């Protein structure tokens, strides 16, 4: 799996793009970034990388990113208090 595959999946699932970043670090979102031969997946909060996990392959990073994103993204949560 590659990052462009992730982009297709999150677009198809209609994930709010404020929850993630595939193209650089963005505050208050889940990010995936290449760094040399490694891939970093982390939650950016107030400029601090939290829950950072480093992978040696793009495939492993993408799979983890999607699992973590779908744990964090809860479109139904806005209806809980209705």
């Amino acid at each position: 799996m590659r990052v462009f595959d992730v982009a297709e999946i999150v677009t198809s699932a209609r994930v709010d793009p404020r929850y993630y970043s595939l193209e650089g670090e963005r505050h208050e979102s889940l990010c995936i970034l290449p760094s040399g031969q490694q891939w970093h997946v982390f939650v950016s909060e107030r400029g601090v990388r939290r829950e950072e996990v480093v992978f040696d392959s793009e495939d492993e990073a993408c799979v983890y990113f999607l699992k973590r994103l779908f744990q964090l993204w809860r479109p139904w949560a806005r209806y809980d208090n209705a």
Side-chain angles (χ1 to χ4, degrees), residues 35-54:
S35 178
Q37 299 295 315
Q38 296 181 318
W39 289 83
H40 296 251
V41 178
F42 57 91
V43 175
S44 179
E45 291 181 358
R46 299 180 182 172
V48 177
R49 291 182 179 189
R50 307 245 185 243
E51 304 176 33
E52 186 167 10
V53 182
V54 180

Side-chain angles (χ1 to χ4, degrees), residues 14-21 26 29-30 73:
R14 297 184 179 185
V15 177
D16 186 334
R18 293 176 291 181
Y19 280 88
Y20 66 91
S21 176
R26 185 174 65 220
S29 63
L30 180 67
W73 180 63

